[in-house]
Amino acid sequence: MKELLVDLGKNSYNIEIQKGLIKDVSKSVRKVFNGEKIFIITDKNVDKFYGDIVLNSLKKDGFNVDKYAVEPGEESKSFNTLPLIYDKLLDFKLTRKDLIITLGGGVVGDLGGFIAATFLRGVSFIQIPTTLLSQVDSSVGGKVGVDLDRGKNLVGSFYQPKRVIIDPNVLNTLEDKFYKDGMGEVIKYGFIKDKNLYILLNSLNNREDVMEHIEGIIYTCCNIKREIVEKDEKDLGERMVLNFGHTLGHAIEKHYGFSKFTHGEGVSIGMYLITRLAEKKGLTNEILSDKVKEILIRYGLPYNVEINDMEDIIETISLDKKNMGSTLKIIIMKEIGNAKIYNTTVDFFR
Ligand code: NAD
């Protein structure tokens, strides 16, 4: 068992990582919850594989448990889903002394976490992330929220879970495209903070190899995120380095109508292009873009794209910029394992 403490004063919590953990999940839950009722929020794919395993483990241990599964996908992480689930919680007569468990990827974690943060002004919750992206990123750090019709993550809160329970074995049922998406984020951690992680990833040849090292890989990523979140819980400074490749990646995703590239693919392209730009401007300490390219190819991720209309991309980036004041803050890698916030303007991209 690998375990990490996210030290946030009275909002501190542990992350447990172990293959097979989900089968006996009640044991982990008991460590932080001794109440009566538990409501599980999941999605229909995850429910099919793991819903009853979690439900039965908890019921066997004497908890009164109910469960609701939303449709899989980002569409469910919507403001419009909220009343439906609040109703289920009311039907179940969940009180502030009870517990919510989110069982799923980032969609379920963000949605269920926001429900936990807001129902009855806050109910305790535990995250059981089931995608690689949620195991290395979204389940840690307390960002919860939902999308509005006019944009993603526009309503939300910082609300820390009581525990994060990670069973890497559940990744065995994850579709390859979601596995790759998560690998984009894992590679990012190597680039921004950990050269040894990069070296390890560069020595693995396929998904089976990765799964052999998966506990250590997830631990390393969560530990990096833990360290950053402890210093900057509310995302006002250092937490920004986690956005390496994201601003440009997001603009590219948007440029292509969110249909051509997944989030992880957008981030991968963003990491490569920003590194190439930084290199051209002499901001990196070594020739890095070829290394970025090589590892992305190794993991079946894209690195480049034909951009016919750079001004459209810049427009999206400058809309982001408005949220941050007059300067544009971008993340660049100085060398592998060392990324920094760099103050510039949108002209950086011209
Ligand atoms: P997701 O939750 O939609 O999961 C992807 C797909 O995998 C879904 O179809 C799901 O049903 C399926 N799935 C999940 N676990 C599975 C398993 N073990 N076996 C088989 N299928 C499984 O997507 P995601 O990539 O996990 O999360 C994306 C969301 O995360 C976005 O909404 C994004 O905004 C959010 N996010 C949040 C943070 C944060 O800090 N809160 C950080 C990054 C991303």
Side-chain angles (χ1 to χ4, degrees):
M1 160 95 71
K2 292 185 186 295
E3 193 150 349
L4 277 164
L5 170 72
V6 184
D7 185 357
L8 296 168
K10 66 178 178 25
N11 294 329
S12 299
Y13 55 97
N14 282 68
I15 305 170
E16 278 179 85
I17 307 159
Q18 189 177 35
K19 285 185 177 175
L21 208 51
I22 204 162
K23 287 197 205 124
D24 207 4
V25 76
S26 194
K27 225 190 231 166
S28 303
V29 172
R30 278 266 177 229
K31 291 179 188 163
V32 288
F33 177 67
N34 266 316
E36 186 204 337
K37 283 186 182 173
I38 302 177
F39 193 90
I40 303 166
I41 300 174
T42 186
D43 77 25
K44 287 185 179 167
N45 286 337
V46 179
D47 190 30
K48 197 174 63 197
F49 291 114
Y50 308 108
D52 285 344
I53 295 176
V54 172
L55 187 103
N56 292 335
S57 166
L58 295 167
K59 276 193 170 167
K60 235 169 59 193
D61 204 7
F63 291 114
N64 179 1
V65 196
D66 200 359
K67 165 170 74 96
Y68 181 71
V70 297
E71 290 297 326
E74 186 71 27
E75 294 73 34
S76 286
K77 200 181 112 178
S78 153
F79 197 77
N80 305 323
T81 312
L82 298 175
L84 212 140
I85 301 182
Y86 292 140
D87 262 350
K88 300 279 174 203
L89 297 177
L90 289 169
D91 290 345
F92 187 51
K93 299 190 170 51
L94 197 89
T95 72
R96 290 176 68 191
K97 288 190 185 143
D98 296 320
L99 179 78
I100 288 175
I101 289 182
T102 58
L103 172 69
V107 162
V108 163
D110 283 12
L111 169 73
F114 184 73
I115 285 173
T118 49
F119 185 70
L120 305 179
R121 296 197 180 87
V123 177
S124 296
F125 88 115
I126 288 178
Q127 293 255 28
I128 308 181
T130 62
T131 60
L132 183 54
L133 179 128
S134 57
Q135 295 191 342
V136 299
D137 186 1
S138 62
S139 65
V140 179
K143 277 191 187 175
V144 296
V146 291
D147 305 333
L148 297 179
D149 290 343
R150 289 173 62 180
K152 276 192 61 164
N153 298 323
L154 289 178
V155 175
S157 181
F158 288 92
Y159 192 68
Q160 303 293 343
K162 287 281 175 268
R163 199 169 192 84
V164 180
I165 300 170
I166 301 179
D167 179 351
N169 274 351
V170 302
L171 302 177
N172 288 325
T173 51
L174 195 64
E175 274 180 53
D176 213 44
K177 68 173 174 178
F178 296 118
Y179 161 75
K180 280 187 193 163
D181 238 30
M183 279 314 300
E185 295 291 341
V186 171
I187 293 166
K188 177 200 78 181
Y189 281 111
F191 285 151
I192 63 171
K193 285 280 177 195
D194 193 329
K195 188 166 185 179
N196 287 333
L197 174 61
Y198 163 80
I199 292 169
L200 171 70
L201 296 174
N202 229 0
S203 72
L204 305 176
N205 291 317
N206 48 45
R207 191 165 164 175
E208 286 69 42
D209 280 0
V210 171
M211 282 307 284
E212 269 177 36
H213 294 263
I214 196 71
E215 285 179 339
I217 290 173
I218 294 171
Y219 177 90
T220 302
C221 296
C222 286
N223 197 28
I224 295 170
K225 184 142 185 195
R226 172 198 67 75
E227 214 180 329
I228 295 174
V229 166
E230 282 176 359
K231 285 188 197 141
D232 180 21
E233 185 183 352
K234 296 283 163 72
D235 200 4
L236 299 168
E238 180 172 346
R239 202 162 163 168
M240 266 193 74
V241 297
L242 293 167
N243 288 340
F244 178 54
H246 282 58
T247 305
L248 187 51
H250 175 77
I252 290 167
E253 269 180 87
K254 183 161 182 270
H255 181 70
Y256 284 97
F258 292 104
S259 56
K260 188 172 164 94
F261 298 112
T262 64
H263 174 71
E265 287 173 339
V267 169
S268 301
I269 295 168
M271 291 193 292
Y272 173 72
L273 291 180
I274 201 94
T275 304
R276 215 176 57 181
L277 279 165
E279 204 169 86
K280 274 191 189 149
K281 292 169 200 285
L283 297 170
T284 56
N285 295 347
E286 45 180 314
I287 302 300
L288 291 177
S289 62
D290 283 348
K291 291 186 176 161
V292 176
K293 180 173 32 181
E294 273 163 30
I295 195 162
L296 292 174
I297 291 173
R298 177 177 280 272
Y299 285 91
L301 287 159
Y303 63 93
N304 207 354
V305 65
E306 198 69 42
I307 299 174
N308 305 322
D309 185 2
M310 195 58 196
E311 286 310 309
D312 180 58
I313 304 276
I314 288 171
E315 166 79 15
T316 306
I317 291 172
S318 54
L319 284 175
D320 255 0
K321 187 192 95 173
K322 276 202 195 95
N323 298 328
M324 293 188 280
S326 54
T327 46
L328 173 67
K329 288 180 190 296
I330 58 166
I331 313 304
I332 55 166
M333 194 178 18
K334 302 293 282 180
E335 61 231 332
I336 290 194
N338 178 18
K340 291 265 176 280
I341 300 169
Y342 178 71
N343 289 329
T344 183
T345 68
V346 286
D347 285 335
F348 183 88
F349 295 96
R350 290 204 163 92

